[in-house]
Amino acid sequence: MSCRRFFSIPVLSVILVMGLVYYITLFVFIDDWVGLRSSAGKLNALVFTLLASLCLFSLSICVLLDPGRVPSSYAPDVESSSWSGSNNVSSSVFDDLLGIEARKCDKCFAYKPLRTHHCRVCRRCVLKMDHHCVWINNCVGYANYKAFFLLVFYASVACIYSTVLLVCCVFKNGESYAGNVPLKTFMVACGVFMIGLSITLGTLLGWHIYLIAHNMTTIEHYDSKRALWLARKSGQSYRHQFDRGVYKNITSVLGSNIIKWLCPTFTRNTEDGINFSASRDS
């Protein structure tokens, strides 16, 4: 873990936006709608504070947690299924396109396991790398992908919740804004900002729900598009080699315990970040 990752403009910007949204939601939207001292106001403030806390906690894990480092002692076993493709990796157009994934990295000069990629920013290989995210100043990989997904999830829910509170506030006090141009301008600006943020985060959330449901990373999705084109061109059917069904795909990321799915802390599962079960194994 490295606290120095927090000291970057994108990460500090995210924290600043979180603080801004939290402040205007509690002390403008809720206070003007039902009042913070009322029972409804206290309940809404409590719920939104919980969402904001979960967002901040998930962000901290994303920033601090190592996304997955290849063990220095790692070497592929040519007799194992993860290397030869006899069990875990089925023979497909995807394999023909990418070759054997457990190969030497031409930058680290070391073997890298399946689904591992080299990050040019971090200057090392990352297990099950999804992408490098400037907003967390870290890679999104095997160890922190769940925290990243829940960060997007809680942020999306919080923004939509805040937007609903804004709408309720405007419907109740809309007439009082007519003669107050600065306040009316402020509320319109807040509305545009919150709706834009909700759409952006909601789209990102939908994208990662799709990836999790198909057990893909962002990198693998773009690689599979070409593999799908080659398969159709040759008259073959294509299925992502790690797609084992929606439920198993979800549990491989969020964990086997449904109660802990919404807990940002990483949940250990049967996959260790080096060996992965393929669709033919399920």
Side-chain angles (χ1 to χ4, degrees):
M1 293 186 179
S2 177
C3 294
R4 289 178 298 177
R5 291 200 189 106
F6 279 105
F7 299 101
S8 71
I9 294 177
V11 175
L12 293 175
S13 299
V14 171
I15 296 175
L16 180 63
V17 170
M18 283 184 177
L20 177 63
V21 172
Y22 180 78
Y23 179 84
I24 62 175
T25 300
L26 262 67
F27 299 103
V28 178
F29 303 158
I30 296 178
D31 197 26
D32 285 356
W33 177 37
V34 291
L36 282 174
R37 295 186 177 181
S38 65
S39 298
K42 290 178 181 178
L43 179 61
N44 281 283
L46 178 64
V47 173
F48 194 79
T49 299
L50 177 62
L51 289 172
S53 300
L54 288 169
C55 283
L56 186 60
F57 183 51
S58 299
L59 175 66
S60 299
I61 295 174
C62 290
V63 174
L64 295 175
L65 193 62
D66 191 295
R69 188 178 296 272
V70 180
S72 57
S73 59
Y74 172 77
D77 183 357
V78 294
E79 296 181 357
S80 68
S81 56
S82 61
W83 172 258
S84 64
S86 59
N87 268 329
N88 286 350
V89 183
S90 57
S91 178
S92 64
V93 178
F94 186 83
D95 299 324
D96 296 335
L97 173 66
L98 297 180
I100 300 174
E101 288 190 76
R103 60 191 184 276
K104 268 193 174 181
C105 175
D106 57 1
K107 297 180 179 63
C108 295
F109 302 105
Y111 287 110
K112 58 181 182 178
L114 291 164
R115 312 182 80 177
T116 299
H117 296 274
H118 187 89
C119 176
R120 291 177 294 179
V121 180
C122 297
R123 297 181 181 179
R124 66 182 180 88
C125 288
V126 177
L127 296 176
K128 197 183 176 183
M129 179 179 172
D130 187 87
H131 68 288
H132 183 90
C133 181
V134 295
W135 301 109
I136 64 173
N137 196 21
N138 198 7
C139 271
V140 177
Y142 166 75
N144 65 350
Y145 183 76
K146 178 181 178 180
F148 176 80
F149 173 75
L150 290 180
L151 169 62
V152 177
F153 172 77
Y154 287 126
S156 300
V157 173
C159 285
I160 294 172
Y161 188 19
S162 179
T163 304
V164 171
L165 292 175
L166 168 62
V167 172
C168 293
C169 179
V170 170
F171 268 104
K172 181 181 179 182
N173 304 311
E175 294 181 358
S176 63
Y177 298 151
N180 193 330
V181 177
L183 183 58
K184 183 178 180 180
T185 303
F186 173 75
M187 296 303 288
V188 170
C190 287
V192 173
F193 177 72
M194 293 309 306
I195 291 173
L197 196 58
S198 298
I199 292 174
T200 301
L201 290 172
T203 302
L204 184 61
L205 176 63
W207 167 248
H208 282 282
I209 289 175
Y210 168 81
L211 291 178
I212 290 176
H214 292 82
N215 202 359
M216 285 185 179
T217 64
T218 300
I219 295 173
E220 289 170 349
H221 170 76
Y222 289 108
D223 287 337
S224 66
K225 289 175 67 175
R226 187 181 175 192
L228 178 61
W229 176 79
L230 289 174
R232 288 177 177 175
K233 187 177 180 181
S234 59
Q236 301 178 21
S237 60
Y238 171 76
R239 181 184 179 185
H240 180 55
Q241 58 182 339
F242 300 110
D243 186 356
R244 300 185 295 146
V246 176
Y247 180 75
K248 288 185 177 180
N249 293 340
I250 292 174
T251 56
S252 69
V253 174
L254 302 183
S256 56
N257 191 336
I258 298 179
I259 299 176
K260 296 181 179 179
W261 277 6
L262 296 181
C263 179
T265 53
F266 178 67
T267 303
R268 296 289 176 183
N269 50 55
T270 54
E271 295 177 339
D272 57 6
I274 297 177
N275 301 295
F276 296 92
S277 298
S279 56
R280 65 177 293 178
D281 300 325
S282 53

